[in-house]
Amino acid sequence: QEIRKVVQALEQTAREILTLLQGVHQGPGFQHIPKKCQKAREHFGTVRTQMESLKTKFPADQYYRFHEHWRFVLQRLVFLAAFVVYLESETLVTREAVAEILGIEADRERGFHLDIEDYLSGVLTLASELARLAVNSVTAGDYSRPLRISTFINELDSGFRLLNLKNDSLRKRYDGLKYDVKKIEEVVYDLSIRGLNKEATVGAGGEK
């Protein structure tokens, strides 16, 4: 019961961060990305406090016995942390960096930690969000962003291809990545047909 209470509080904070970050998809949202990321990071301060509370609700060696209680919200928080880091630097957040943002451990031996499969699930959710961002970037007149997202997602896809995914739910999520790659490729192709990718390359200082 006590674990459930803290998890509900975490879910609420995650919803607040998600609502905040969804604003980047709206037309004027692109100008406010740094401000939204800064606000989101403030919310992660609340997440760290809630995580501290969660750690006290069960014996440290029984992490996997209760894992199902917080697995979903943890994956969602990984996605949100990864989205913030991507918006800030257009790089993929490491598992260690996510653990730090959430105030938990990266190593299993050290107690309450970020399970590798929870990290990978969160990253796959990021891919879907970026596919959506690529489409909305075009609507907002930002033609270089989809090209950069395409490069990032293709590198991500290459990384996932190297993994031997045994977990069924993770395997299904990974199958969804193929659709995200295809969706972004269609956006980039559409830009090239309309000659807008040349415009984007010039606007990005000659870089793709």
Side-chain angles (χ1 to χ4, degrees):
Q1 194 57 40
E2 285 188 29
I3 290 175
R4 186 78 205 112
K5 238 182 249 178
V6 184
V7 168
Q8 280 172 343
L10 277 166
E11 284 167 351
Q12 179 56 37
T13 310
R15 274 194 294 274
E16 286 166 15
I17 300 171
L18 183 63
T19 304
L20 181 68
L21 294 177
Q22 288 301 300
V24 304
H25 291 289
Q26 269 77 54
F30 289 95
Q31 287 92 26
H32 305 304
I33 284 175
K35 201 183 284 183
K36 287 185 184 298
C37 289
Q38 194 186 337
K39 272 200 158 168
R41 283 198 177 265
E42 287 167 17
H43 280 298
F44 278 113
T46 307
V47 169
R48 285 192 289 276
T49 305
Q50 289 165 340
M51 285 293 184
E52 281 305 317
S53 173
L54 184 57
K55 289 174 200 174
T56 65
K57 305 298 181 199
F58 65 97
D61 60 349
Q62 293 190 17
Y63 178 90
Y64 283 104
R65 185 183 163 194
F66 298 103
H67 183 223
E68 278 302 310
H69 287 282
W70 58 74
R71 188 168 63 96
F72 176 76
V73 73
L74 198 54
Q75 289 174 4
R76 158 120 343 163
L77 288 165
V78 170
F79 148 61
L80 293 169
F83 193 28
V84 168
V85 170
Y86 180 83
L87 289 171
E88 288 172 342
S89 60
E90 298 193 357
T91 57
L92 176 63
V93 71
T94 62
R95 183 160 69 108
E96 290 73 20
V98 177
E100 199 177 311
I101 290 168
L102 302 182
I104 57 179
E105 301 295 341
D107 300 327
R108 181 175 179 169
E109 290 73 35
R110 297 179 67 179
F112 195 106
H113 62 286
L114 176 53
D115 182 81
I116 186 78
E117 288 178 353
D118 289 339
Y119 166 71
L120 293 173
S121 287
V123 168
L124 286 168
T125 306
L126 172 70
S128 303
E129 193 70 13
L130 291 182
R132 189 177 157 216
L133 190 64
V135 173
N136 290 330
S137 299
V138 177
T139 312
D142 184 345
Y143 304 130
S144 63
R145 193 181 294 271
L147 305 181
R148 300 197 305 274
I149 289 175
S150 177
T151 304
F152 177 84
I153 293 290
N154 280 315
E155 284 173 7
L156 193 65
D157 186 41
S158 302
F160 269 95
R161 282 172 197 272
L162 299 173
L163 300 176
N164 179 20
L165 299 175
K166 293 189 175 73
N167 177 309
D168 284 349
S169 68
L170 200 55
R171 179 84 232 176
K172 277 190 201 121
R173 297 286 287 278
Y174 170 61
D175 288 341
L177 182 59
K178 288 183 277 209
Y179 297 105
D180 296 326
V181 169
K182 193 166 177 287
K183 191 174 174 182
I184 295 163
E185 278 173 355
E186 283 168 4
V187 173
V188 172
Y189 176 71
D190 191 43
L191 286 173
S192 68
I193 289 290
R194 290 153 64 189
L196 294 170
N197 61 339
K198 293 185 188 69
E199 213 176 286
T201 308
V202 171
E207 289 175 15
K208 268 201 176 187

